[in-house]
Amino acid sequence: VDFGSTGRLRGLAIGDDDSIYVIDIDAKDVLRREPDGTVTPIGFTTLTDPIAVAVQGDAIAVAQSGNVMVRQGDGTETSPSDFGAG
């Protein structure tokens, strides 16, 4: 899958619309490749050491050392204290 000119990539998630999400380690952001081939950065502002990415609906979760950051479709970012509890 071509993501164009990017840094080192890690992780992989597939959205409901068949978009592909990966972590750009160097940019500390998530890239989205839409089915038509358009690649855009998501715009995370709080990632420090991204490890893995997951997508559910319009929410994108990124695991990083010590916590999880979740970005909602409206652009808000949170680190839910109970994410993954249980």
Side-chain angles (χ1 to χ4, degrees):
V1 176
D2 183 8
F3 275 87
S5 178
T6 61
R8 297 172 295 147
L9 302 179
R10 175 185 287 165
L12 176 73
I14 308 293
D16 295 337
D17 65 350
D18 292 330
S19 290
I20 300 170
Y21 296 80
V22 296
I23 298 167
D24 182 334
I25 299 169
D26 297 325
K28 294 182 174 39
D29 201 356
V30 173
L31 301 176
R32 175 183 176 179
R33 184 180 187 276
E34 298 179 36
D36 70 2
T38 304
V39 176
T40 54
I42 297 300
F44 269 93
T45 59
T46 54
L47 298 181
T48 56
D49 184 23
I51 299 169
V53 61
V55 178
Q56 182 176 15
D58 67 351
I60 302 167
V62 178
Q64 53 185 4
S65 188
N67 69 2
V68 172
M69 294 306 302
V70 178
R71 183 176 174 99
Q72 301 296 331
D74 64 4
T76 58
E77 293 181 27
T78 59
S79 181
S81 60
D82 62 347
F83 190 92

